[in-house]
Amino acid sequence: MDKMDNFRFVIVTGMSGAGKTTLMQYLEDIGYYCVGNLPAILLSKFADLCWNSTSKIQYVAVGTDTRGGTFFDALPQALYELEQREIPHEVVFMEASNEALIRRYMETRKTHPLSHGNRIQDGIEEERKILAAIRTQADMIIDTTDMKAKDLRGVVISRFGIRRNHDEMDITVFSFGFKYGVPIDADIVLDVRFLINPFYVQKYKHWTGRVKEVADYIEKEQTTKDFLVHLYDFIDFVVDQFQRTGKRQLTIAIGCTGGMHRSVFVTEKLGAHLAEKHSHVNIEHRDMHRNKVEHDADGE
């Protein structure tokens, strides 16, 4: 088996307080060799050492962030060097809303590394400016604003789990709301805003697409039935083609207006369909809980 199939080098960065340490802990739990707060200036050298090592270290995660001060400025150059040396790597960017970050800092009574004795929000805004360019280079963005610990752990297991069968692709299907932004880390983005919208039925307005009554309401429409038939055929074809080319991960994003009804319903249906043929399928709902949720199938 080619070494590239065995090797994963994950670079974790992003906003302070967004959950980078927790993510690294979860990666370590599932078998990654983890190095926290590595100065970015040493990143390419360390990656080169791991890539060319004869040891059995195949899964590596490195944390690097603005705490590195001027050393962190070397991150863009380090990523460029990894590309030039053809060392496989992936950048994970952690973020959360200003409100969530401020709340976390106030609860823990910690000082933001860039606040310099001023308001927490000043430090957050400065850090966003510093990280703006790196964010655009990320292979995956994880927004932990409304994410629970178990949800983050689920993301880690599904996206970064150490697989014994390297011939099968990891597939992630997630719902999102267009009003919260189009995801930049998806291979395929589908717009399902043409489907009937339960939001305009008072009873279903604050129920998610995972509730059976809401799902039945959407699925009873002939348009929905026809769409699912075509969707399954299209995605099955795409998955087969990508697997033949050796692609290891496929991310499918399904969007509606708020990411609560139609996109959630379609994501659940497509995820279940794919799970019948593939063992590595993960279902996520990025924006569902940004809405006012009164009833969900999981009781959350």
Side-chain angles (χ1 to χ4, degrees), residues 34-45:
C34 295
V35 178
N37 199 22
L38 182 74
I41 197 171
L42 300 177
L43 186 60
S44 62
K45 294 181 180 179

Side-chain angles (χ1 to χ4, degrees), residues 13 18 20 37 43 45-46 49 56 71 82 95 115 131 196-197 211 223 227 251 253 267 285 294-295:
T13 189
K20 298 189 298 297
N37 199 22
L43 186 60
K45 294 181 180 179
F46 180 68
L49 178 65
K56 295 183 179 180
F71 289 138
L82 292 180
E95 67 178 9
S115 64
L131 294 172
I196 189 170
N197 193 353
V211 177
T223 299
F227 168 67
T251 304
T267 294
H285 300 292
E294 293 180 351
H295 186 24

Side-chain angles (χ1 to χ4, degrees), residues 11-117:
I11 302 163
V12 180
T13 189
M15 298 294 295
S16 300
K20 298 189 298 297
T21 300
T22 302
L23 180 71
M24 292 287 285
Q25 288 173 346
Y26 288 155
L27 287 170
E28 188 170 33
D29 289 344
I30 64 174
Y32 278 70
Y33 178 76
C34 295
V35 178
N37 199 22
L38 182 74
I41 197 171
L42 300 177
L43 186 60
S44 62
K45 294 181 180 179
F46 180 68
D48 190 57
L49 178 65
C50 296
W51 177 240
N52 292 302
S53 173
T54 57
S55 70
K56 295 183 179 180
I57 297 178
Q58 300 172 338
Y59 298 88
V60 184
V62 174
T64 185
D65 53 48
T66 55
R67 289 175 298 171
T70 56
F71 289 138
F72 184 74
D73 297 339
L75 184 53
Q77 177 62 30
L79 296 178
Y80 174 76
E81 291 176 3
L82 292 180
E83 292 286 350
Q84 293 300 302
R85 298 179 190 179
E86 297 184 345
I87 298 177
H89 62 282
E90 48 205 306
V91 179
V92 178
F93 189 94
M94 305 285 291
E95 67 178 9
S97 68
N98 284 11
E99 293 76 13
L101 294 175
I102 291 172
R103 183 178 66 252
R104 292 170 191 175
Y105 271 101
M106 293 184 68
E107 289 174 350
T108 60
R109 297 184 179 182
K110 292 183 178 180
T111 301
H112 192 281
L114 298 182
S115 64
H116 308 302

Side-chain angles (χ1 to χ4, degrees), residues 7 17 45 68 106 125 158 184 231-232 234 286-287 295:
F7 186 78
K45 294 181 180 179
M106 293 184 68
E125 291 175 353
S158 65
I184 65 173
L231 176 65
Y232 295 159
F234 168 67
R286 192 192 75 175
D287 300 324
H295 186 24

Side-chain angles (χ1 to χ4, degrees), residues 5-250:
D5 294 329
N6 282 347
F7 186 78
R8 292 192 76 171
F9 190 85
V10 181
I11 302 163
V12 180
T13 189
M15 298 294 295
S16 300
K20 298 189 298 297
T21 300
T22 302
L23 180 71
M24 292 287 285
Q25 288 173 346
Y26 288 155
L27 287 170
E28 188 170 33
D29 289 344
I30 64 174
Y32 278 70
Y33 178 76
C34 295
V35 178
N37 199 22
L38 182 74
I41 197 171
L42 300 177
L43 186 60
S44 62
K45 294 181 180 179
F46 180 68
D48 190 57
L49 178 65
C50 296
W51 177 240
N52 292 302
S53 173
T54 57
S55 70
K56 295 183 179 180
I57 297 178
Q58 300 172 338
Y59 298 88
V60 184
V62 174
T64 185
D65 53 48
T66 55
R67 289 175 298 171
T70 56
F71 289 138
F72 184 74
D73 297 339
L75 184 53
Q77 177 62 30
L79 296 178
Y80 174 76
E81 291 176 3
L82 292 180
E83 292 286 350
Q84 293 300 302
R85 298 179 190 179
E86 297 184 345
I87 298 177
H89 62 282
E90 48 205 306
V91 179
V92 178
F93 189 94
M94 305 285 291
E95 67 178 9
S97 68
N98 284 11
E99 293 76 13
L101 294 175
I102 291 172
R103 183 178 66 252
R104 292 170 191 175
Y105 271 101
M106 293 184 68
E107 289 174 350
T108 60
R109 297 184 179 182
K110 292 183 178 180
T111 301
H112 192 281
L114 298 182
S115 64
H116 308 302
N118 298 318
R119 297 171 58 211
I120 296 172
Q121 183 157 342
D122 293 337
I124 292 172
E125 291 175 353
E126 181 181 347
E127 188 171 44
R128 284 201 191 281
K129 293 177 182 178
I130 294 173
L131 294 172
I134 293 300
R135 185 181 185 278
T136 64
Q137 294 181 260
D139 299 287
M140 179 182 183
I141 296 174
I142 302 178
D143 187 336
T144 63
T145 299
D146 300 301
M147 189 177 285
K148 299 177 182 178
K150 68 179 183 67
D151 297 327
L152 181 58
R153 185 174 184 84
V155 171
V156 169
I157 292 173
S158 65
R159 298 287 187 99
F160 304 104
I162 296 176
R163 297 175 299 155
R164 303 309 171 192
N165 178 9
H166 292 272
D167 295 327
E168 188 165 355
M169 183 167 57
D170 289 325
I171 305 172
T172 295
V173 187
F174 72 91
S175 65
F176 72 94
F178 277 96
K179 70 179 183 180
Y180 300 114
V182 179
I184 65 173
D185 58 340
D187 298 294
I188 299 172
V189 177
L190 299 173
D191 185 345
V192 297
R193 286 177 290 186
F194 61 88
L195 298 178
I196 189 170
N197 193 353
F199 179 82
Y200 296 108
V201 178
Q202 186 59 39
K203 182 180 180 181
Y204 303 148
K205 189 171 185 177
H206 303 299
W207 292 12
T208 78
R210 294 195 293 190
V211 177
K212 186 178 185 304
E213 288 183 53
V214 178
D216 289 345
Y217 174 79
I218 300 172
E219 195 167 12
K220 72 180 181 180
E221 293 291 307
Q222 189 61 44
T223 299
T224 304
K225 295 175 182 178
D226 293 341
F227 168 67
L228 290 176
V229 170
H230 293 303
L231 176 65
Y232 295 159
D233 287 343
F234 168 67
I235 294 299
D236 285 345
F237 174 79
V238 169
V239 169
D240 287 344
Q241 298 309 308
F242 273 135
Q243 285 196 144
R244 289 179 183 178
T245 65
K247 187 174 176 65
R248 293 175 55 184
Q249 292 179 308
L250 179 68

